[in-house]
């Protein structure tokens, strides 16, 4: 097929062809600003510098202020080839970089950078449905809401985020919990192909048949192996669901825990039923929020019977399209935010202890004292059917224990940058209390859900020794110079070798 190559593109090619191969070693003699000037000259448009008008929105494109930074420049690429050229060059000159898709990770410098180059992937914004193959090809910069709305016209959906604004790239590479997970596994389990730019600039498709080791590693591998440009996701039929949220006062918490225990202990848990429960121990008006959905248009299904008689102060649950249900989920809005995760098995006594910890620990006073200090305590029941579904789709790197479990999360929000340390310490202490209660009761699950974890938690280190060794082997094969380990400092990294 004939393609017209402009003179600018030819000079780009020429400039890159003269680069020695990165295998000659990472040089790191170039400053980030020199690198930005060079990239601007070779890539043409799409390199935003601090004096350019779009810089403030590009550098502050992350959801919360705690993740804002001042990159030396922002690369707004739209093709895998541009990303390839830039990565190859940055790897060669040893300049630090960061990758941002939807920007919804609150991790400071996880998807942004000071003194380095930020890849803003929001230009990768296409979604295409292939009815014949039963897949959707989704670019990394898409938000889940735009993906679902596009697929709704075909009455299909994909396993993705529960809040529509969240980005495809970070959620999927961090595993991805969906209201469909008990049926079909995590978001990463449903990736049949990753299109990824590797450290040497090559553009590779990783799937079951080709680069299967990399395909496996990317299911939980975060930003450790390359920049993913597109995901091919399995689609499933969708339509009307019975879903919404109920609000309870805080004193309903004991009854809700009893209900949660019954819900999670059902002999055969109905995988069409899904929920997330959040308590707000410091909010007098908002006590407990129960998001619940049954993935069929069936009212009051048996799975939710344990919750039926607990009086709610608000109830929006009704039959509606899945995407409308998701659109009714309200994300928190606070300038500074972080979250911490841990996991444990289903157990009445432990649930009681956790309830006491999150409603009466001294850290609550510390958080209450911060300007706009708030916490949300979340319970996410995970069934063995979700883990089995992941195994059936080729397996992932997460090292999940085959047991019914709760992925627990504490979100903390506050207002002032000067409170960062106190807020983070308070939340970390609360999670440490929960974790030690889980351990001493024998119900601890050695897993930290990346998408709810603080960047100070060693998420990948908890995938298990065997999985970490396998991930390192994949790294040796696809990124022998450890470009993504060393030059991409932000986010959840492979633990360093001792
Ligand atoms: C309101 C809200 C609701 C949420 N709901 C859910 C939920 O239902 N289920 C769930 O699992 N999680 C959920 N999360 C957590 C969310 O999945 C993570 O914060 C995730 O990192 C967001 O993805 P993103 O693309 O927006 O993130 P970003 O902040 O852009 O990226 C996060 C990390 O991924 C890396 N990364 C992003 N794109 C790429 C890429 N293309 N190649 C390589 N590395 C990349 C970045 O470098 C960064 O380290 C929610 C978060 C928020 C704020
Ligand atoms: C060069 O390498 C050093 C040491 O690893 C690092 O601290 C520095 O930030 C690097 N410089 C750039 C521009 O990436
Ligand atoms: C989607 O479902 C609706 C309602 O059942 C139906 O009217 C419509 O024809 C379906 N569309 C497609 C493309 O299957
Ligand atoms: C998990 O719970 C389900 C339903 O309650 C049950 O069928 C299954 O046996 C449990 N799995 C394990 C490993 O305990
Ligand atoms: C409690 O939650 C409600 C609803 O999200 C919110 O409007 C209000 O500001 C919160 N109050 C406090 C004290 O955090
Ligand atoms: C909260 O603030 C009050 C008033 O300033 C102070 O007396 C108290 O010690 C603080 N408590 C905590 C736990 O920080």
């Amino acid at each position: 097929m004939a393609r017209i190559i402009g003179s600018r593109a030819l000079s780009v090619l020429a400039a890159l062809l003269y680069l020695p191969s990165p295998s000659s070693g990472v040089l790191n003699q170039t400053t980030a600003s020199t690198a930005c000037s060079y990239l601007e000259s070779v890539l043409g448009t799409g390199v935003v510098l601090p004096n350019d008008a779009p810089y403030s929105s590009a550098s502050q494109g992350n959801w919360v202020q705690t993740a804002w930074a001042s990159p030396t420049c922002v690369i707004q690429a739209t093709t895998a080839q541009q990303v390839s050229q830039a990565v190859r060059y940055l790897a060669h000159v040893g300049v630090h970089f960061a990758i941002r898709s939807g920007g919804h990770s609150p991790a400071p410098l996880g998807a942004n950078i000071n003194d380095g180059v930020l890849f803003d992937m929001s230009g990768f914004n296409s979604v295409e449905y292939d009815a014949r193959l039963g897949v959707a090809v989704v670019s990394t910069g898409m938000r889940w809401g735009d993906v679902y709305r596009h697929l709704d016209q075909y009455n299909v959906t994909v396993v993705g985020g529960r809040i529509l604004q969240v980005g495809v790239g970070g959620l999927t590479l961090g595993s991805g919990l969906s209201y469909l997970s008990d049926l079909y596994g995590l978001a990463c389990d449903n990736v049949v192909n990753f299109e990824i730019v590797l450290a040497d600039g090559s553009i590779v498709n990783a799937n079951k048949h080709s680069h299967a080791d990399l395909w496996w590693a990317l299911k939980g591998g975060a930003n450790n192996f390359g920049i993913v440009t597109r995901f091919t996701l399995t689609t499933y039929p969708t339509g009307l669901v019975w879903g919404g949220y109920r609000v309870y006062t805080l004193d309903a918490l004991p009854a809700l825990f009893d209900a949660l225990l019954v819900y999670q202990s059902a002999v055969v848990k109905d995988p069409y039923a899904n929920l997330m429960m959040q308590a707000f121990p410091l909010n007098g008006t908002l006590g407990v929020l129960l998001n619940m959905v049954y993935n069929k248009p069936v009212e009051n299904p048996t799975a939710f019977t344990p919750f039926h008689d607990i009086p709610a102060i608000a109830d929006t649950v009704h039959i509606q399209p899945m995407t409308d249900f998701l659109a009714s989920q309200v994300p928190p809005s606070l300038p500074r935010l972080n979250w911490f995760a841990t996991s444990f098995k289903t157990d009445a006594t432990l649930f009681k202890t956790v309830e006491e910890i999150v409603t009466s620990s001294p850290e609550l006073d510390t958080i209450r004292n911060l300007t706009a200090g708030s916490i949300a305590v979340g319970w996410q029941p995970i069934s063995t059917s979700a883990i089995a579904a992941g195994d059936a789709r080729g397996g992932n790197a997460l090292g999940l224990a085959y047991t019914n479990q709760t992925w627990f999360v504490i979100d903390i929000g506050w207002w002032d940058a000067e409170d960062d340390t106190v807020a983070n310490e308070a939340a970390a202490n609360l999670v440490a209390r929960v974790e030690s209660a889980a351990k001493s009761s024998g119900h601890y699950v050695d897993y930290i859900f990346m998408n709810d974890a603080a960047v100070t938690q060693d998420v990948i280190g908890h995938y298990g020794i065997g999985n970490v060794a396998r991930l390192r082997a994949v790294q040796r094969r696809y990124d022998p110079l450890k470009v993504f380990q060393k030059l991409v400092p932000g986010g959840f990294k492979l633990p360093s070798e001792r």
Side-chain angles (χ1 to χ4, degrees), residues 459-491:
V459 167
I460 297 180
H462 286 254
Y463 287 0
I465 294 169
N467 285 341
V468 170
R470 236 175 120 181
L471 288 168
R472 287 213 181 96
V474 173
Q475 180 184 56
R476 278 194 295 277
R477 179 161 177 213
Y478 293 94
D479 185 7
L481 298 175
K482 298 191 181 174
V483 166
F484 280 86
Q485 185 101 42
K486 293 177 178 163
L487 295 183
V488 182

Side-chain angles (χ1 to χ4, degrees), residues 150-443:
H150 178 82
L151 296 176
D152 276 345
Q153 62 185 303
Y154 308 107
N155 296 333
V156 298
T157 194
V158 287
V159 179
R162 293 165 298 177
I163 298 264
L164 300 183
Q165 292 79 8
V166 177
V168 167
L171 182 136
T172 308
L173 290 167
S175 73
L177 182 57
S178 154
Y179 286 121
L180 302 175
S181 289
D182 278 0
L183 283 167
Y184 311 124
L186 300 168
C188 67
D189 295 321
N190 289 282
V191 182
V192 295
N193 185 63
F194 296 89
E195 180 188 87
I196 180 172
V197 176
L198 300 177
D200 67 359
S202 54
I203 303 169
V204 158
N205 285 299
N207 53 60
K208 191 178 179 176
H209 306 289
S210 169
H211 306 291
D213 50 352
L214 182 59
W215 177 61
W216 173 86
L218 288 169
K219 296 192 271 181
N223 65 16
N224 288 283
F225 299 96
I227 300 186
V228 175
T229 45
R230 306 197 286 186
F231 302 82
T232 303
L233 306 175
T234 302
T235 57
Y236 299 98
T238 192
L240 296 173
V241 302
W242 184 72
Y245 59 84
R246 288 182 183 155
V247 183
Y248 304 87
T249 55
L250 208 53
D251 52 24
L253 207 47
L256 287 165
F257 267 115
D258 291 344
L260 209 50
L261 198 73
V262 178
Y263 170 88
Q264 285 180 262
S265 313
V267 177
V268 179
K269 196 231 138 215
D270 185 340
Y272 286 87
N274 275 274
L275 63 79
M276 175 172 186
M277 191 172 98
Q278 276 182 299
F280 302 84
L282 296 179
N283 187 321
T285 52
L286 186 63
V288 186
L289 182 67
L290 179 67
N291 289 305
M292 55 204 291
V293 60
Y294 194 71
N295 289 303
K296 285 179 189 173
V298 173
E299 283 184 6
N300 292 308
T302 315
F304 291 123
T305 306
F307 297 93
H308 194 265
D309 293 329
I310 306 171
I313 52 176
D315 185 350
T316 72
V317 183
H318 65 285
I319 289 179
Q320 57 181 323
M322 180 64 149
T323 307
D324 291 0
F325 156 69
L326 294 172
S328 74
Q329 312 276 293
V330 194
S333 81
L334 274 162
R336 309 190 82 76
L337 188 142
N338 202 358
W339 48 48
F340 292 80
T342 188
S343 309
F344 44 78
K345 291 183 204 166
T346 310
D347 177 71
T349 314
L350 177 60
F351 277 19
K352 197 83 219 150
T353 311
V354 172
E355 182 196 329
E356 275 160 29
I357 291 170
V358 302
T359 52
S360 63
S361 293
E363 286 81 10
L364 293 175
D365 290 326
T366 309
I367 298 166
R368 199 193 317 262
N369 264 6
L370 305 175
T371 308
S374 69
I375 72 163
V377 185
W379 286 267
Q380 300 167 120
I382 306 295
S383 300
T384 48
S385 68
I387 298 157
D391 290 344
R393 286 159 178 75
N396 57 48
L398 307 171
L400 297 169
Y402 192 73
T403 180
N404 299 309
Q405 54 198 277
T406 295
W407 290 355
F408 175 86
V409 56
I410 287 193
D411 297 10
I412 176 162
W414 68 100
W415 200 267
D416 291 321
E418 63 200 31
D419 292 336
D420 284 5
T421 307
V422 173
N424 283 315
E425 269 177 23
N429 285 347
L430 275 175
V431 167
R433 285 180 194 277
V434 170
E435 204 163 281
S436 79
K439 282 179 181 163
S440 59
S441 76
H443 298 292

Side-chain angles (χ1 to χ4, degrees), residues 63 99 101-105 110 140 162 167 170-171 176-177 223 226 228 449 451:
W63 178 56
I99 309 142
S101 286
H104 268 59
S105 165
T140 185
R162 293 165 298 177
L171 182 136
L177 182 57
N223 65 16
V228 175
F449 175 40
N451 286 349

Side-chain angles (χ1 to χ4, degrees), residues 60-79:
Q60 300 179 352
N62 304 65
W63 178 56
V64 280
Q65 285 176 18
T66 15
W68 292 358
S70 301
T72 311
C73 63
V74 183
I75 299 189
Q76 295 181 323
T78 52
T79 67

Side-chain angles (χ1 to χ4, degrees), residues 27-33 93-97 115-116 486-487:
L27 298 179
N28 191 12
Q29 293 161 343
T30 305
T31 64
S33 75
V93 296
V95 168
H96 287 181
F97 57 103
D115 190 18
K486 293 177 178 163
L487 295 183

